Amino acid sequence: MSMSDDALETFRTEVRTWLEENCPPEMRDGASGEDAIVWGGRNWKFTSDAQKLWLDRMAAKGWTVPTWPVEYGGGGLDRAHHKILFEEMRAIGARVPLQSFGIWMLGPALLAFGSHEQKLQYLPPIARGEVRWCQGYSEPGAGSDLASVQTKADSDGDHYIVNGQKIWTSYADKADCIFALVRTDRDAPKHLGITFLLIDMETPGVTTKPIRLISGKSPFCETFFDDVHVPKANVVGTENRGWDVAKHLLTHEREMISGGGQGLLGGRPLGVVLNEQEGGLTDPVLRAEAMGCEVDALAVALTLERYKDQAESGGGVGDASAMLKYAGTELNKRRHELMMSAGGSDALEWDGKYGGLASDWLRTKANSIEGGTSEVMLSIISRRVLGLPT
């Protein structure tokens, strides 16, 4: 869709007016930490009436998923209009009303590979925050080599019987449903014979076990499937061609991780935040490192925007998602390292005046693993982006 600058400015005015009338004051603090996130789901507990009101109003506009088609619960916005919405929300410090793996990962995969009926069934509840999804990809013997998954799904009439184990299933103990890679043909080459399957976590035979991390938190789980009956209607795409869906989804997951640090600090520059800490940002070495980090952050943000424009025009992101994921991961880790350095020994206190800074810093270490390790990302960049010999 092409519109004149006047039309875009008219839209900007409309968005600004709507936000002013509908965004509750409590939701304008720019907060982006774990306590401010709304993951949604059947059992989600809102921390305030304002949090729920904000989600309901944004979902009614389709602006929890602004670029999804209207018929599937989205706002139907193109990139230009989406940028305006994002800019106006950031201008008033509006919180993101809803975040979920359904939005970041499953939604794009369903839009690309799902049937019309599946899109109608699954996408609107995701957009309204009614169902929370988790990802069932990695297994004890299939992490970086994801195509080696062994969780099997045996045909039984119009159902599969699923048996196996997934690991590093983020928030599986809180999720309502899981999208999983299962092996439906054990005689086929490993990249074939895989099927992308949707499974309700309340199905008999599905159990989860949280994994306690060095940060003291347990966002990751092990998930077990013991004779789980799943309708074949829950296959996304074609049976035995789930690897195509998996690769598409991984592209969006890596893009999501690459932008993960952008919401940090409520959108404020790192230097400003560091200067607010006790003693201010007086150390010249720390000042230089902070400014260098900020310059790199701007470069990554602009590059990410460029690839989003490319994707919008039909060019896709492809293997460049590995580059974005690696850059975003390293940037997020550098930011937290600098915040820890600026906080000094006080920042190491688990429940001190810096709150969860130490646990957040430790959590960033997982960014180098989830969605594909940094080593795998560098290998993809060298072979498929730069064309270097193997």
Side-chain angles (χ1 to χ4, degrees):
M1 180 169 61
S2 176
M3 297 188 70
S4 67
D5 290 344
D6 287 345
L8 289 175
E9 284 308 304
T10 298
F11 178 72
R12 183 183 296 279
T13 301
E14 293 171 353
V15 169
R16 190 174 298 167
T17 301
W18 189 89
L19 290 174
E20 186 59 38
E21 295 174 348
N22 290 279
C23 183
E26 301 96 319
M27 296 293 104
R28 302 185 187 191
D29 58 2
S32 59
E34 185 67 27
D35 293 341
I37 293 177
V38 174
W39 291 103
R42 298 168 185 157
N43 301 310
W44 179 255
K45 303 295 184 186
F46 291 94
T47 59
S48 68
D49 291 341
Q51 200 178 54
K52 184 178 188 309
L53 182 63
W54 180 224
L55 170 58
D56 289 345
R57 287 175 173 174
M58 287 290 279
K61 290 284 286 185
W63 286 355
T64 53
V65 283
T67 60
W68 288 10
V70 174
E71 67 177 322
Y72 303 137
L77 303 184
D78 63 11
R79 276 282 293 156
H81 290 78
H82 185 200
K83 281 183 180 178
I84 289 174
L85 173 60
F86 176 75
E87 290 168 359
E88 291 302 316
M89 288 178 64
R90 188 164 64 177
I92 64 169
R95 295 186 189 183
V96 176
L98 176 67
Q99 302 188 53
S100 75
F101 297 153
I103 292 175
W104 298 325
M105 294 187 269
L106 179 60
L110 278 172
L111 287 169
F113 293 93
S115 66
H116 176 62
E117 290 73 20
Q118 287 177 326
K119 294 173 186 174
L120 287 175
Q121 178 179 354
Y122 295 112
L123 293 178
I126 291 173
R128 294 191 295 265
E130 296 171 351
V131 176
R132 183 172 182 176
W133 289 82
C134 64
Q135 180 187 46
Y137 269 26
S138 296
E139 298 179 1
S144 297
D145 186 14
L146 185 59
S148 295
V149 292
Q150 293 300 315
T151 294
K152 61 181 182 180
D154 295 320
S155 179
D156 183 29
D158 57 359
H159 282 67
Y160 292 111
I161 299 177
V162 180
N163 283 281
Q165 177 188 356
K166 297 294 180 179
I167 196 169
W168 310 122
T169 44
S170 303
Y171 304 111
D173 56 334
K174 299 177 176 60
D176 305 306
C177 300
I178 184 170
F179 48 91
L181 295 180
V182 296
R183 188 159 294 281
T184 41
D185 185 348
R186 291 192 284 280
D187 296 325
K190 69 177 185 179
H191 288 89
L192 302 175
I194 295 174
T195 297
F196 191 99
L197 197 61
L198 308 178
I199 305 173
D200 193 311
M201 297 294 279
E202 293 184 353
T203 309
V206 180
T207 55
T208 63
K209 178 182 177 183
I211 301 171
R212 191 172 179 83
L213 304 183
I214 190 175
S215 64
K217 299 179 180 177
S218 302
F220 300 121
C221 295
E222 295 175 278
T223 301
F224 302 91
F225 303 93
D226 296 298
D227 292 331
V228 178
H229 288 62
V230 182
K232 289 185 176 177
N234 288 13
V235 171
V236 177
T238 305
E239 184 184 64
N240 294 330
R241 296 303 301 267
W243 188 245
D244 297 337
V245 185
K247 287 190 297 181
H248 183 85
L249 187 147
L250 279 172
T251 298
H252 287 273
E253 181 183 9
R254 289 164 184 168
E255 184 179 317
M256 176 269 292
I257 295 172
S258 72
Q262 294 186 18
L264 186 69
L265 318 176
R268 295 183 299 160
L270 175 64
V272 173
V273 175
L274 294 176
N275 199 44
E276 292 174 352
Q277 297 190 13
E278 189 172 329
L281 190 56
T282 56
D283 184 284
V285 175
L286 195 57
R287 289 170 66 92
E289 291 180 356
M291 294 309 102
C293 187
E294 282 302 276
V295 170
D296 290 346
L298 287 171
V300 170
L302 290 172
T303 303
L304 185 58
E305 287 299 310
R306 177 161 57 85
Y307 275 106
K308 285 181 177 178
D309 286 340
Q310 179 178 308
E312 172 72 12
S313 64
V317 176
D319 294 327
S321 64
M323 179 179 67
L324 298 173
K325 194 269 181 179
Y326 179 79
T329 291
E330 295 305 311
L331 186 62
N332 201 31
K333 289 162 61 178
R334 280 174 62 193
R335 280 173 161 158
H336 281 83
E337 293 281 355
L338 285 167
M339 292 175 71
M340 290 295 293
S341 297
S345 58
D346 289 344
L348 294 172
E349 296 179 8
W350 216 243
D351 297 311
K353 61 183 178 182
Y354 292 109
L357 182 56
S359 62
D360 290 344
W361 166 63
L362 289 170
R363 173 64 181 83
T364 63
K365 308 303 180 185
N367 293 158
S368 299
I369 302 173
E370 56 200 359
T373 66
S374 289
E375 289 75 15
V376 170
M377 297 301 103
L378 291 172
S379 177
I380 293 173
I381 294 167
S382 66
R383 289 185 288 111
R384 302 179 189 170
V385 178
L386 300 178
L388 298 176
T390 57

